[in-house]
Amino acid sequence: MLYLDRNENNYGPAPACFEVLRTSDLTQLSWYDRSFTRGIQGVLSERLASDFGIPEDRVVLGYGAENILKQTVRCYLRPGETLLVPAYSWWYYRKIASEVGGRSVEYPMVQGEDRFSYDLPGLLEVAVREQPSIVFISSPNNPTGNSLDVGDLRSALARLRSSVVVLDEAYVFHTRTDYVRDLVQEYPNLIVVRTFSKYFALAGARIGFALLGSNLGILATHMHRYLGYHRLSEGLALAALDSPGYYKEIAEKMERDKLAYYAELGSIPGWRVFRSDANFVLAEIPAGCGEKLQHYLLEREIAVKFMAEPLLRSHVRITLGTTEENGRVIDAIKAFRP
Ligand SMILES: Cc1ncc(COP(=O)(O)O)c(C=O)c1O
């Protein structure tokens, strides 16, 4: 089965990651990493702090971004309080709010001809009305693929001073650190969440991290790891960070393959493929053909995500695979007769 339904990276981790596992001395696993004797959490938080130029105690590590998002909600959302989420967004945001008795309220996002975009005035209007404890912004957003540019993000942050703002960057298609460092320095209520799952192709190693604004000390205390992190996962993450060329090449291939998706699937009558900054594309397909297409693709051992949200009933989200896999998907879909 070709899995293109969970936004993983089918190119696999960098060769240096394989080397980490081949050369690891497993007897080391008998012991905690002794980084705590140096007053830090571990070698990975130390490296991320140095890369992003922020103090090590404002870096938190988690079992995937998923874990960090959940802990953040548990820390800052009381029963009956409000969490804002984009109208089209990952279902998990609403789930973790409901787990603590919180309310999720949506803010609008605009569906244009060939791309989705954030609606800044719409977001701020809902924020003024709802006085949320937490605002989630996902950039690029899952499942719509659009980003919020840093200028607009700053405008939003300037007006959202009394909420905790969670910027979920799980799908950033680069390793840029500059604007993140500036943002967490300027906005004390901001938390930027990233992961090694997508760009770095390490979803199974479950490594996420976040950078915290200076007012989020409670979350830092809540999440700090006093006995260190997972030693093998740290090694994998460090090897991935040391392999920028490998990942840049994959990102470039994916950018080219997205153009093929826009052109090829976009030319099928009734199909519309939205521009994406992430490792997946969202397409609107002719109403009523979803079930048949899903069955047809599964017969060809291709799994993509057929959306079930009320606003996205005729939409399919396709994770980018390797160039060869993408060609296979495009050929299969072009040969489909509704
Ligand atoms: C928007 C978004 N954030 C975070 C995650 C979770 O990432 P991780 O694998 O680091 O838990 C996902 C996973 O699909 C996602 O879609």
Side-chain angles (χ1 to χ4, degrees):
M1 183 64 80
L2 172 54
Y3 288 115
L4 298 172
D5 55 347
R6 289 281 159 123
N7 300 339
E8 293 135 330
N9 178 344
N10 285 1
Y11 281 99
C17 298
F18 290 83
E19 205 48 33
V20 166
L21 289 192
R22 253 195 301 272
T23 57
S24 283
D25 173 6
L26 294 190
T27 58
Q28 293 287 321
L29 292 183
S30 296
W31 301 290
Y32 299 117
D33 170 38
R34 288 296 194 272
S35 297
F36 53 78
T37 59
R38 294 193 286 132
I40 60 167
Q41 301 163 85
V43 286
L44 181 56
S45 52
E46 183 178 46
R47 167 65 182 270
L48 292 167
S50 148
D51 285 0
F52 283 89
I54 70 166
E56 192 271 342
D57 62 1
R58 300 235 309 267
V59 176
V60 293
L61 301 174
Y63 193 74
E66 167 192 352
N67 166 245
I68 296 172
L69 296 170
K70 181 179 271 206
Q71 297 299 334
T72 306
V73 166
R74 291 194 172 237
C75 193
Y76 290 111
L77 195 70
R78 304 272 84 79
E81 289 183 356
T82 303
L83 172 100
L84 292 197
V85 294
Y88 308 89
S89 55
W90 191 26
W91 59 268
Y92 184 73
Y93 300 158
R94 294 176 183 79
K95 172 92 175 86
I96 50 183
S98 73
E99 280 174 5
V100 296
R103 306 164 58 224
S104 302
V105 175
E106 292 177 358
Y107 61 83
M109 193 177 271
V110 182
Q111 179 172 335
E113 195 41 50
D114 67 357
R115 69 179 69 237
F116 283 80
S117 51
Y118 275 90
D119 169 3
L120 202 52
L123 160 58
L124 294 173
E125 195 186 307
V126 177
V128 168
R129 190 182 69 225
E130 298 290 340
Q131 296 295 307
S133 302
I134 306 181
V135 177
F136 270 43
I137 295 173
S138 174
S139 181
N141 185 45
N142 174 16
T144 52
N146 58 299
S147 307
L148 181 63
D149 78 49
V150 178
D152 283 348
L153 181 60
R154 279 180 192 286
S155 309
L157 286 163
R159 301 278 302 280
L160 295 170
R161 301 247 180 210
S162 49
S163 309
V164 172
V165 179
V166 180
L167 177 64
D168 182 349
E169 290 198 327
Y171 291 102
V172 282
F173 225 50
H174 57 74
T175 50
R176 277 179 54 206
T177 54
D178 47 349
Y179 68 93
V180 177
R181 177 195 54 226
D182 295 347
L183 287 173
V184 289
Q185 258 159 21
E186 283 168 46
Y187 298 97
N189 54 330
L190 174 67
I191 160 169
V192 181
V193 182
R194 288 196 179 185
T195 179
F196 283 85
S197 296
K198 314 289 182 181
Y199 186 82
F200 293 108
L202 286 169
R206 310 305 297 125
I207 319 165
F209 65 97
L211 309 162
L212 307 181
S214 57
N215 269 1
L216 304 182
I218 296 174
L219 180 61
T221 310
H222 185 73
M223 289 206 66
H224 264 181
R225 298 174 179 279
Y226 297 98
L227 293 176
Y229 192 62
H230 186 307
R231 300 188 74 167
L232 289 178
S233 292
E234 279 183 316
L236 293 170
L238 292 174
L241 290 172
D242 286 335
S243 307
Y246 174 81
Y247 291 107
K248 192 156 174 281
E249 214 172 284
I250 293 173
E252 284 164 5
K253 284 187 193 150
M254 287 190 178
E255 289 299 353
R256 283 196 294 276
D257 288 357
K258 275 189 257 182
L259 299 180
Y261 270 109
Y262 304 150
E264 301 275 359
L265 299 191
S267 65
I268 303 173
W271 279 64
R272 190 149 62 128
V273 187
F274 296 97
R275 302 303 179 258
S276 165
D277 300 321
N279 69 341
F280 56 82
V281 291
L282 181 72
E284 186 172 2
I285 62 177
C289 81
E291 220 170 290
K292 192 167 170 203
L293 176 61
Q294 184 167 22
H295 187 67
Y296 166 90
L297 289 175
L298 285 175
E299 268 178 358
R300 283 154 187 76
E301 302 194 314
I302 298 173
V304 297
K305 170 87 176 161
F306 285 80
M307 307 304 296
E309 283 83 342
L311 294 171
L312 297 173
R313 288 229 173 267
S314 292
H315 295 71
V316 56
R317 191 194 65 200
I318 306 171
T319 304
L320 294 170
T322 63
T323 297
E324 193 213 323
E325 291 167 351
N326 296 330
R328 193 175 136 200
V329 175
I330 290 171
D331 288 347
I333 292 177
K334 283 173 74 178
F336 170 70
R337 296 289 165 264

